[in-house]
Amino acid sequence: MNLRFADLIPRRPRPIGIIGAGGIVRDAHLPAYKLAGFPVFGITDTDSSRAQDLCAQFAVGKPFDSTESLVNAAPADAVYDLAVPASAILDVLPMLPDGVAVLIQKPLGEDLAQARAIHHLCRRKSLIAAVNFQLRWAPYVLAARRLIESGGIGDLHDVEARVTVYMPWHLWTFLERAPRVEILYHSVHYVDLIRSFLGQPARVHALTVKHPDTLKLHSTRSSIALDYGPSVRATITTNHGHKFGIDQQESYLKFEGARGAIKATLGLLMDYPRGRTDALQCCTLNDLGEPDGWRDVPFEGTWFPHAFIGSMGSLQRFIEGTSPTLPTSVDDALQTMAVVEACYQDSASGGTPVTGAP
């Protein structure tokens, strides 16, 4: 395993109880935990057959027919992995014992009011709670962050997330009932990631809209600008309805500084769910202020599943005291949700009318 991921693993991994057995658990949580050697003692789901299938497929733990039965059988040092839709979080958290550790699947509720209620509940129950904003631990993001924090591209002044892909939304049927979709369930990743580099923005400008092919969904395309002052640009542009082949699909993060730039290609989102190859490149300026050309930056692993090692690992390392901070704590996640709420409010406000020339 890449040394950087080894650094994310606790000294003594704690047993994990997973609540929810959907596609994200099958495709990311369980493969990540297998790679990292994280023990899973049990899985439960409202559809008990799904829990049974995943336990058999990954040869982990045992299936439970309810959250209560999983909790009753949990070891004293168990960590709970709450992988349910945002609308169900407030229903499930009260079933957990007070004071336990829990990783909550993003987003933190369906809106800021729910996020605040979840945050309050976590505090009342003294939960050690983090939110699974796992893009922070994608291998190319870890490598890019190391370059930026080392001063490799100078002071960061421009961050861009751009996604132009064809997303098979039918894979997530629950989203047809969700009052919010694109920003809450997808662009929230980029909002959270940009916050991890630049902090909390002062204002947002946003527009999120439907696509003619997916009118059942609240929205699948968004444009977001985060305001960090007059010298910093941070933007998120997503179009999940680009059905014109792979050639012009794009999915990347770009970081620009005073002395260089970094571009990460997020291959997972292109030709989804098959995905394309990830990439990370960097270009710096020489002593004459001229570009030295783009070069590949080495990294190992992918967003799915490797980043999920980081989100669970960071929680467990915080519990055992080997990490002094919990990067995606519910406190921090609440600030991400505040930005998301501001995006929806700005989109609903209608913008500034164009009055036309005199």
Side-chain angles (χ1 to χ4, degrees), residues 106-109 111-112 115 131-133 136 180 183-184 186-197 199-201 204 224 226 228 236 327-344:
K106 64 84 191 169
L108 192 65
D111 54 32
L112 184 57
V131 179
N132 203 343
F133 284 122
R136 295 192 188 200
R180 295 173 171 179
I183 299 176
L184 183 67
H186 187 82
S187 283
V188 66
H189 279 300
Y190 313 125
V191 170
D192 183 74
L193 185 69
I194 291 171
R195 283 191 59 253
S196 76
F197 281 94
Q200 194 75 342
V204 300
I224 301 169
L226 308 176
Y228 288 99
I236 301 165
T328 58
S329 68
V330 288
D331 293 338
D332 188 81
L334 185 61
Q335 299 307 310
T336 291
M337 293 298 292
V339 178
V340 168
E341 187 71 26
C343 289
Y344 279 107

Side-chain angles (χ1 to χ4, degrees), residues 87-101:
S87 59
I89 295 172
L90 279 171
D91 295 328
V92 178
L93 280 179
M95 302 179 191
L96 303 184
D98 291 354
V100 299

Side-chain angles (χ1 to χ4, degrees), residues 44-340:
T44 186
D45 192 272
T46 53
D47 181 347
S48 59
S49 65
R50 293 199 299 186
Q52 293 171 1
D53 290 345
L54 287 185
C55 284
Q57 180 181 346
F58 288 91
V60 295
K62 59 177 291 187
F64 291 89
D65 58 10
S66 68
T67 298
E68 292 87 350
S69 60
L70 180 142
V71 168
N72 289 337
D77 60 347
V79 173
Y80 295 90
D81 187 356
L82 189 55
V84 298
S87 59
I89 295 172
L90 279 171
D91 295 328
V92 178
L93 280 179
M95 302 179 191
L96 303 184
D98 291 354
V100 299
V102 55
L103 181 64
I104 303 170
Q105 183 60 34
K106 64 84 191 169
L108 192 65
E110 293 187 306
D111 54 32
L112 184 57
Q114 282 189 17
R116 286 171 173 160
I118 295 167
H119 180 263
H120 175 75
L121 180 59
C122 289
R123 285 199 166 189
R124 182 171 63 79
K125 290 177 64 64
S126 300
L127 301 177
I128 305 171
V131 179
N132 203 343
F133 284 122
Q134 75 291 139
L135 182 57
R136 295 192 188 200
W137 287 279
Y140 38 75
V141 171
L142 292 178
R145 193 182 298 275
R146 287 194 296 271
L147 278 171
I148 293 167
E149 291 180 348
S150 71
I153 65 170
D155 292 339
L156 191 63
H157 61 72
D158 198 293
V159 182
E160 178 185 6
R162 179 175 290 273
V163 175
T164 306
V165 298
Y166 182 74
M167 188 64 68
W169 292 103
H170 64 274
L171 296 177
W172 305 279
T173 55
F174 76 92
L175 290 177
E176 292 184 2
R177 303 183 297 275
R180 295 173 171 179
V181 177
E182 203 289 319
I183 299 176
L184 183 67
Y185 281 95
H186 187 82
S187 283
V188 66
H189 279 300
Y190 313 125
V191 170
D192 183 74
L193 185 69
I194 291 171
R195 283 191 59 253
S196 76
F197 281 94
L198 299 176
Q200 194 75 342
R203 298 183 303 165
V204 300
H205 306 281
L207 179 66
T208 187
V209 299
K210 294 176 179 287
H211 190 281
D213 291 346
T214 50
L215 292 177
K216 290 182 179 180
L217 300 178
H218 180 273
S219 61
T220 57
R221 295 174 291 173
S222 302
S223 295
I224 301 169
L226 308 176
D227 186 351
Y228 288 99
S231 300
V232 177
R233 188 187 77 117
T235 63
I236 301 165
T237 306
T238 61
N239 171 14
H240 297 277
H242 182 83
K243 58 183 179 181
F244 307 104
I246 189 64
D247 289 352
Q248 297 302 322
Q249 287 192 19
E250 52 188 351
S251 175
Y252 65 78
L253 300 167
K254 186 149 58 67
F255 305 89
E256 296 189 11
R259 298 194 303 275
I262 301 168
K263 183 177 180 180
T265 300
L266 285 59
L268 170 71
L269 300 180
M270 295 186 290
D271 198 20
Y272 191 90
R274 289 177 291 272
R276 292 298 174 101
T277 303
D278 297 330
L280 185 66
Q281 295 180 306
C282 180
C283 176
T284 53
L285 303 179
N286 60 26
D287 292 340
L288 299 177
E290 299 170 341
D292 275 335
W294 289 87
R295 63 183 185 278
D296 292 334
V297 178
F299 65 92
E300 295 181 28
T302 61
W303 183 357
F304 283 36
H306 294 84
F308 290 73
I309 297 174
S311 49
M312 176 57 76
S314 69
L315 174 59
Q316 295 210 20
R317 284 172 55 82
F318 179 75
I319 297 167
E320 71 179 12
T322 51
S323 175
T325 61
L326 184 57
T328 58
S329 68
V330 288
D331 293 338
D332 188 81
L334 185 61
Q335 299 307 310
T336 291
M337 293 298 292
V339 178
V340 168

Side-chain angles (χ1 to χ4, degrees), residues 5-49:
F5 278 103
D7 292 344
L8 299 175
I9 296 175
R11 294 172 182 167
R12 187 181 67 82
R14 298 188 178 208
I16 300 168
I18 302 177
I19 302 170
I24 191 68
V25 173
R26 180 194 65 233
D27 297 337
H29 293 238
L30 287 172
Y33 300 164
K34 183 176 181 179
L35 283 170
F38 294 163
V40 175
F41 73 86
I43 304 173
T44 186
D45 192 272
T46 53
D47 181 347
S48 59
S49 65

